[in-house]
Amino acid sequence: MSLTRRTVLTAMAAAPVLASAGTAEATGREAPLATTPAAESRQAGSIALNAQRRFDLRAEPVDLFGGEVRLKQGRVHQQVAFDPVTGHAYVTQLISDGRQLPDEPATVPGTDRDRRGDLCVNEVTPEGTVRAVMYLRGVGHGGALGVEHVDGRPWLWLETDADPVASGFAYGKRVGRVAFTADAVVDAGDARIEVFDPVPGSTRVTPSLDAEHGRMAIRHGAPGAEEYRVYALDAFKQRAFTPLYSFPARYRTQAWCLYGDLVYQNEGSAYSATNPRPGNSWWNVYDITTGETIERTFNTTALDLSHRETEAITVRPTPNGPQLVFGFATQEPGPRQMALYGITSTTDGTADHVPWTDLDFDAAVYSPNSDNYLPQYRQVGNRVDIHLRVARVDGAPWTNGETILVLPPHIRPNRTQGMVGQTTGTGVTGSLTVRWEVLTDGTLRVFDQRAFKGWIGLDAGYFTS
């Protein structure tokens, strides 16, 4: 699914329904909390995607802007959301190092912005131009965002009320709703931010708005103990915080979103010496009605980016139906840029098929029995299956603990795991099985003290987590 060329969306596909409206001109008037229509009165085109109908994460994505977008700040973008009427994208970033806002007496170090939770929200046109910005200080890290269009204006749902930290990043502990106002500087606690506290005393509270299906979701909790909660949007607005569904979050996340009966979550970090290509970018999909992870798929989009850091995931309307939008922060060193991609096609899961992928091995040392026994793997969720049958080229005996190959980073387990393989049987006394181990560094080893010759094989699996 790696993009080998950029696919530029047409203007019609880039903007959902209506022509761009003048959202950047603030009226200063507070908009009422709009209620969502009952399910039976929603548009017929509204699709409640669920476990049997979800975005096809193996489909070829399109490039939303035809290239990377330079935002107002030089920092990594965190999350994106779209105005369903104008098609404008709203993108969060931490404010850059050394920036001075109009009411600040001096420049502020980036580390201070981080530990206080000072954000910039960019308003981006469908053509990829930053049209306006707004600054929100003390709200959080910006890992979640929703946009609601009310009375001709975009209203932002995001985290707020971050407690400053001594070092590192501050995260919001409540949910806020504020009108996007060009060039405004608004602090947490300002009356212009309407505050919701669905889980008093919780930490790292981030929201996701699914206005199409009349729902609001939050992710909250300390690292390692995160939870998702899903609410009826109308009830949430009235501060009735009894969730429709709640379930534990799994896996590390960069961003997440709710759409229909599914939560889409992405994870991954930038390429590095310990995370070489193809990297470690994953999609995780939850069924909110059961809390189960129904899909975990490796993201192979745009592997050719020189810097590829997983950020942002959301759903937006288009003339061709809802579209899952996700992206990567690019460019290092220098000011970071944003690359966004979209998937519109869906799948019911019945045609899911995970092909076998070849593994690298030293052909000068090991020879497969035939093309049918080349070292290969395939992954479904967090399970990896390995298939191979090889002999030593020099015909020498196998040594105990011999390393056969090293697995790529994205399929390495988080702890050593054992498997049982086979031997040739020719000239072998005792059991016709051997023990294999896969280590956290990807090393695949075979253990047997009999020093036998011939081929050894493996048709077994392990779990990455």
Side-chain angles (χ1 to χ4, degrees):
M1 193 167 62
S2 176
L3 295 183
T4 56
R5 62 180 177 84
R6 298 278 185 192
T7 307
V8 184
L9 296 183
T10 63
M12 177 178 291
V17 180
L18 302 180
S20 177
T23 60
E25 289 73 32
T27 64
R29 178 172 59 86
E30 184 174 353
L33 279 171
T35 58
T36 44
E40 57 268 23
S41 65
R42 294 190 188 117
Q43 294 181 352
S46 177
I47 302 174
L49 295 190
N50 53 40
Q52 284 70 49
R53 180 166 182 170
R54 60 190 188 270
F55 290 108
D56 186 355
L57 301 180
R58 295 183 178 89
E60 182 76 11
V62 294
D63 186 329
L64 267 63
F65 299 117
E68 287 80 53
V69 173
R70 176 76 165 89
L71 300 170
K72 188 68 172 180
Q73 309 300 307
R75 308 290 295 276
V76 168
H77 74 282
Q78 298 293 326
Q79 179 61 306
V80 61
F82 289 83
D83 186 317
V85 174
T86 67
H88 289 150
Y90 293 82
V91 188
T92 56
Q93 294 177 284
L94 286 162
I95 299 175
S96 290
D97 178 55
R99 293 292 172 94
Q100 181 180 2
L101 301 184
D103 62 345
E104 295 173 341
T107 59
V108 179
T111 53
D112 286 351
R113 301 291 191 192
D114 296 348
R115 66 181 190 82
R116 294 186 329 206
D118 293 354
L119 297 182
C120 171
V121 181
N122 301 258
E123 182 183 65
V124 183
T125 68
E127 294 74 37
T129 301
V130 177
R131 187 168 181 258
V133 295
M134 179 182 185
Y135 298 97
L136 296 163
R137 293 183 299 210
V139 295
H141 194 61
L145 185 66
V147 179
E148 185 179 24
H149 193 97
V150 180
D151 287 351
R153 298 183 65 192
W155 288 73
L156 309 178
W157 290 85
L158 72 172
E159 64 189 289
T160 191
D161 296 350
D163 289 329
V165 295
S167 61
F169 299 104
Y171 296 87
K173 58 186 178 183
R174 299 184 180 92
V175 175
R177 178 181 182 267
V178 62
F180 180 85
T181 306
D183 300 322
V185 180
V186 180
D187 292 300
D190 190 295
R192 286 173 286 182
I193 302 179
E194 187 171 9
V195 178
F196 302 82
D197 194 9
V199 190
S202 191
T203 58
R204 299 192 177 211
V205 178
T206 56
S208 180
L209 172 68
D210 181 8
E212 182 176 352
H213 302 106
R215 287 173 174 171
M216 171 68 71
I218 65 164
R219 177 186 170 106
H220 75 99
E226 298 94 340
E227 180 191 45
Y228 287 111
R229 295 190 179 188
V230 181
Y231 305 86
L233 180 56
D234 290 348
F236 190 93
K237 289 179 174 181
Q238 299 303 316
R239 293 178 172 77
F241 297 130
T242 300
L244 302 172
Y245 308 100
S246 62
F247 53 94
R250 302 176 183 88
Y251 309 106
R252 178 176 173 267
T253 184
Q254 290 295 91
W256 67 280
C257 69
L258 170 71
Y259 190 74
D261 286 339
L262 303 174
V263 161
Y264 294 86
Q265 171 187 305
N266 63 11
E267 61 173 300
S269 50
Y271 292 146
S272 67
T274 57
N275 182 38
R277 300 173 193 270
N280 59 359
S281 184
W282 289 88
W283 282 299
N284 304 302
V285 185
Y286 299 84
D287 181 343
I288 67 171
T289 65
T290 64
E292 295 299 317
T293 304
I294 61 171
E295 184 172 358
R296 179 168 165 80
T297 295
F298 188 67
N299 187 346
T300 59
T301 305
L303 295 176
D304 57 335
L305 290 172
S306 60
H307 183 86
R308 180 179 179 268
E309 186 172 352
T310 307
E311 301 287 350
I313 190 167
T314 190
V315 177
R316 68 166 186 164
T318 76
N320 296 321
Q323 182 181 64
L324 182 72
V325 175
F326 61 96
F328 303 96
T330 68
Q331 304 298 320
E332 173 67 20
R336 303 298 181 87
Q337 298 188 35
M338 175 181 73
L340 293 182
Y341 307 89
I343 293 173
T344 305
S345 59
T346 60
T347 177
D348 62 5
T350 58
D352 287 354
H353 174 68
V354 181
W356 290 93
T357 300
D358 290 345
L359 288 165
D360 290 333
F361 67 99
D362 190 343
V365 178
Y366 305 109
S367 174
N369 281 18
S370 70
D371 288 344
N372 293 326
Y373 294 105
L374 289 169
Q376 294 178 320
Y377 80 92
R378 68 177 179 184
Q379 179 169 22
V380 179
N382 67 342
R383 179 180 170 87
V384 177
D385 290 301
I386 296 180
H387 168 74
L388 61 83
R389 188 174 291 182
V390 296
R392 289 190 59 93
V393 171
D394 60 8
W398 294 99
T399 59
N400 190 43
E402 184 167 341
T403 295
I404 307 303
L405 54 82
V406 178
L407 301 172
H410 66 279
I411 60 170
R412 295 173 184 175
N414 63 0
R415 62 184 182 277
T416 297
Q417 295 192 44
M419 297 172 286
V420 176
Q422 314 87 39
T423 70
T424 176
T426 302
V428 176
T429 59
S431 172
L432 298 183
T433 63
V434 293
R435 183 169 66 89
W436 293 77
E437 281 189 359
V438 55
L439 281 61
T440 57
D441 63 0
T443 302
L444 182 65
R445 295 178 179 175
V446 62
F447 292 86
D448 197 285
Q449 297 178 330
R450 291 173 288 180
F452 62 86
K453 301 178 182 180
W455 59 261
I456 56 173
L458 180 62
D459 286 283
Y462 63 90
F463 295 93
T464 57
S465 61

